Amino acid sequence: MAVTILEKFKSISPAEFFYRNKEIAGFSNPARALYQSVRELVENAFDATDGHGILPNIEISIDRHPEKLNVYRITVKDNGIGIPGEYIPEAFGKVLFSSKYVLRQSRGLFGLGAKMVVLYGQITVGEPAEIISATIGSKKVYMYRIAIDIKENKPIILHKAFWINTTNWHGTIVRVSIEGDWGRAKQKILDYVRRTAIVTPYANIVFKTPDGDVYVYPSVTNKVPPPPKETKPHPHGVDIEMLKAMISETKAETLLDFLASEFQGVGEVTAQRFLQTYGFDPSKKVKELTAEEIEKFVKCLKEYNEFKKPRADHLSPIGAELIKIGLKQILKPEFVEAVTCKPVVYEGHALIVEVGIGYGGSIPPSDQPIILRYANKIPLLYDEKSDVSWKVVSENIDWKYYEIEFPAPIAILVHVCGTKIPYKGVGKESIADVPVIEKEIEEGIRYVARALKQYLLKKQREEEALRKAYTIIKYIPEIASALSIFASANPEKIDQKIFEAKLFEMVKSKYGEVLKNISSVRDVVIQSE
Ligand code: ADP
Ligand code: MG
């Protein structure tokens, strides 16, 4: 007898999808969830400040819930651009709702982070999330308490209020209670905040932990990197779906106008030439392209090599200067160097790699360089070994060539920024080993490692010279005394002190720089006693 199997079909909302698959967004257990929540809220705070050229003042606090065990209240306050009142509920209560779905470098990109925090709080604790915000120049400050309707993927507004913005304040305060594990998350969260401070030396960051400790990272410069700008897609970076979306939104009528107005780096002349090369009619109505024509168009766009390279002036690298300041301030090394590499292209998107190095000082020795990884200024802490930087540092570079013998006190900072980063997964914790990125990171590391090598060789030479000079100086008193005995037979009596000084001058003029801190023979004799 045949058995009929009746399958039940249905679709679920994005909120429900992430409710069922929390781990892919980084919320796999209470420790990781606490870390991820802090991260998401802090990243939003930075996007709203330095992402718009504002010097960030960011306060993070994690408090134990007064009544509930293993529950923490996370509060993140920023002085950013704020969120218009009418968008607050959806920004925090509708999964895949974002202001960052444009081609612009930002920390956030999936329209997910804040909602995951709210969702996780809702399912583990059940208290509403509270958001207070005012945009720049807003006469009112808005406050919302919200939850998420998971089935419908929309915010549930539990309370709303506003008050008059008497102090001209702008920014956002987000407060969410979630189940967490501070004991197990502590180290990662402290690391996260510290590593954030390294690449944002222009930010004031205050972090209060549930143990009552307060970590303050004061800003040490008021130079904030030029904020990222929105850009148009490069012809090499579009696919069929993207092209369809662009066509449906464009105001251009003809194919020629469309190409010349909607793409980065394509002017009328280039557009003409491109259309001619592939036999497209420039006056064809762009909205009338058939599916086959669209497919062919995308293929040709990708193939054509005469377009200008994607521009990188819309990106916001940290800059070598700030990287050096940050590394010096936080790691307190004896040597730092940094470099911003030339922009490269990854799948039609410009991408910039920056590398910094710190050596010695307070950096603890380890068996391989400590790697500080960043993508679009976000510190990446998990999945280190699957990241492209790990591969380059541990496989591609022969550190002996750079005079480094492990264990050595060395830290390497790698920052990748761009409008498209090949993350491995939505948790955004590691970058895939795409050849062009691997090559850039390797070149960047070689650059700073060469500078370190020169520094170390110079230091070695100086130490060697100093040793020699010391050896000679140590004999000066004896020689001087011998000479003064000789001299005493002469009518002009010269005493030992003068001989000493003369001999010391001779040695000093030969060894110069390395003896700059030594002012007399006594200094050396006393030191070596
Ligand atoms: P994403 O950051 O990927 O866009 P989120 O869910 O984290 O997604 O945030 C959704 C939107 O809410 C953001 O795009 C932004 O417009 C707004 N937002 C969230 N936090 C802040 C904040 N601290 N300041 C200003 N806007 C914010
Ligand atoms: Mg975000």
Side-chain angles (χ1 to χ4, degrees):
M1 197 177 70
V3 184
T4 350
I5 300 171
L6 273 180
E7 288 276 51
K8 283 189 188 148
F9 290 90
K10 70 168 197 165
S11 75
I12 59 169
S13 79
E16 187 162 0
F17 174 79
F18 284 104
Y19 163 62
R20 294 182 187 196
N21 299 286
K22 295 179 282 298
E23 52 296 327
I24 62 173
F27 290 72
S28 42
N29 58 56
R32 186 75 190 262
L34 189 58
Y35 161 79
Q36 193 70 27
S37 298
V38 170
R39 224 192 101 162
E40 295 292 358
L41 300 182
V42 170
E43 281 162 25
N44 283 347
F46 273 102
D47 274 344
T49 48
D50 72 1
H52 294 269
I54 299 172
L55 288 166
N57 268 320
I58 293 178
E59 292 169 32
I60 309 157
S61 86
I62 308 179
D63 299 288
R64 286 204 170 80
H65 195 284
E67 293 128 33
K68 300 177 186 167
L69 200 63
N70 301 330
V71 172
Y72 296 87
R73 202 159 50 200
I74 308 167
T75 311
V76 176
K77 177 178 176 187
D78 67 61
N79 60 330
I81 55 166
I83 310 159
E86 69 268 33
Y87 290 125
I88 294 174
E90 283 179 309
F92 288 83
K94 184 181 172 80
V95 171
L96 308 187
F97 182 88
S98 171
S99 61
K100 300 171 196 167
Y101 291 141
V102 288
L103 222 42
R104 184 179 62 201
Q105 174 190 329
S106 64
R107 294 170 174 87
L109 46 111
F110 302 122
L112 184 64
K115 276 74 79 171
M116 279 312 294
V117 184
V118 176
L119 194 64
Y120 193 80
Q122 179 171 335
I123 57 188
T124 57
V125 183
E127 291 176 7
E130 186 171 293
I131 301 102
I132 297 173
S133 191
T135 53
I136 297 172
S138 169
K139 300 221 166 8
K140 293 177 188 165
V141 178
Y142 294 89
M143 192 269 261
Y144 281 88
R145 289 206 186 101
I146 63 152
I148 299 178
D149 178 338
I150 296 176
K151 285 267 178 282
E152 298 294 324
N153 187 29
K154 62 178 198 205
I156 304 167
I157 300 172
L158 297 163
H159 183 79
K160 86 186 214 200
F162 70 84
W163 53 88
I164 303 301
N165 190 5
T166 49
T167 56
N168 254 335
W169 177 73
H170 59 85
T172 302
I173 306 170
V174 182
R175 176 169 295 160
V176 187
S177 293
I178 69 161
E179 191 182 284
D181 182 341
W182 169 249
R184 282 180 49 229
K186 179 176 172 176
Q187 202 46 51
K188 280 278 192 252
I189 297 178
L190 290 179
D191 260 4
Y192 175 80
V193 176
R194 184 163 170 268
R195 289 194 188 190
T196 299
I198 293 178
V199 292
T200 55
Y202 47 81
N204 277 312
I205 307 174
V206 178
F207 173 34
K208 196 173 135 284
T209 75
D211 308 327
D213 298 325
V214 179
Y215 293 82
V216 181
Y217 295 96
S219 77
V220 288
T221 166
N222 54 14
K223 242 180 73 189
V224 62
K229 294 195 279 282
E230 189 179 340
T231 180
K232 292 173 187 163
H234 187 272
H236 289 168
V238 298
D239 57 28
I240 295 174
E241 281 310 311
M242 193 166 161
L243 190 71
K244 281 186 188 161
M246 288 168 74
I247 290 174
S248 83
E249 278 167 28
T250 187
K251 292 200 175 66
E253 294 201 344
T254 66
L255 212 45
L256 179 66
D257 286 349
F258 175 65
L259 251 183
S261 63
E262 302 290 352
F263 290 87
Q264 189 195 122
V266 185
E268 207 146 305
V269 179
T270 315
Q272 282 279 12
R273 225 178 274 149
F274 166 81
L275 294 170
Q276 213 169 26
T277 308
Y278 293 98
F280 288 106
D281 172 7
S283 59
K284 186 173 173 78
K285 296 264 180 291
V286 64
K287 306 231 182 215
E288 288 172 6
L289 285 179
T290 64
E292 288 85 57
E293 283 169 327
I294 288 180
E295 196 187 322
K296 181 180 166 206
F297 198 73
V298 169
K299 233 168 138 183
C300 299
L301 284 176
K302 283 210 196 303
E303 194 182 283
Y304 193 63
N305 271 329
E306 306 296 312
F307 291 123
K308 280 197 205 115
K309 267 181 38 180
R311 291 163 52 156
D313 55 358
H314 58 281
L315 297 181
S316 174
I318 302 159
E321 222 32 60
L322 285 179
I323 293 179
K324 286 199 272 187
I325 293 175
L327 285 174
K328 259 194 220 149
Q329 174 70 8
I330 310 284
L331 302 187
K332 313 238 181 296
E334 65 173 78
F335 173 84
V336 285
E337 183 54 280
V339 62
T340 301
C341 302
K342 287 216 186 70
V344 289
V345 178
Y346 164 63
E347 292 195 346
H349 294 252
L351 182 146
I352 295 177
V353 169
E354 300 182 283
V355 176
I357 198 166
Y359 179 88
S362 303
I363 299 175
S366 54
D367 290 334
Q368 105 152 43
I370 298 167
I371 312 175
L372 308 167
R373 299 174 293 131
Y374 297 85
N376 284 343
K377 300 176 187 161
I378 307 175
L380 310 180
L381 266 65
Y382 284 90
D383 307 338
E384 182 178 51
K385 292 196 174 140
S386 63
D387 192 284
V388 57
S389 298
W390 174 272
K391 179 168 179 233
V392 176
V393 168
S394 59
E395 290 173 22
N396 302 13
I397 307 271
D398 176 12
W399 289 96
K400 278 210 195 78
Y401 173 78
Y402 297 100
E403 302 290 316
I404 307 284
E405 292 274 359
F406 290 101
I410 175 166
I412 297 284
L413 179 151
V414 178
H415 177 224
V416 180
C417 69
T419 40
K420 184 166 184 175
I421 306 254
Y423 289 112
K424 289 181 167 172
V426 289
K428 298 182 287 189
E429 283 292 352
S430 67
I431 300 179
D433 44 358
V434 173
V436 54
I437 299 181
E438 180 176 338
K439 181 166 163 283
E440 279 308 294
I441 294 176
E442 185 171 328
E443 277 176 17
I445 294 181
R446 289 196 186 285
Y447 179 90
V448 293
R450 259 195 312 276
L452 174 61
K453 179 179 178 173
Q454 274 161 13
Y455 167 79
L456 291 174
L457 288 176
K458 182 163 175 258
K459 196 171 139 181
Q460 262 175 32
R461 276 196 306 274
E462 283 176 2
E463 279 168 3
E464 185 60 24
L466 197 61
R467 251 197 311 279
K468 276 195 195 151
Y470 272 30
T471 316
I472 297 170
I473 292 170
K474 271 191 280 177
Y475 287 107
I476 288 181
E478 252 177 80
I479 300 171
S481 133
L483 284 176
S484 68
I485 293 167
F486 271 129
S488 62
N490 287 344
E492 276 177 72
K493 213 171 162 221
I494 306 173
D495 80 356
Q496 180 179 350
K497 285 269 172 305
I498 297 177
F499 275 121
E500 251 186 54
K502 280 269 174 262
L503 289 167
F504 181 66
E505 278 315 309
M506 280 164 64
V507 178
K508 209 167 168 171
S509 72
K510 180 165 179 219
Y511 286 95
E513 187 59 4
V514 299
L515 291 175
K516 65 176 184 291
N517 296 327
I518 305 292
S519 52
S520 78
V521 173
R522 297 284 145 216
D523 287 348
V524 176
V525 178
I526 291 165
Q527 264 185 40
S528 44
E529 267 163 15

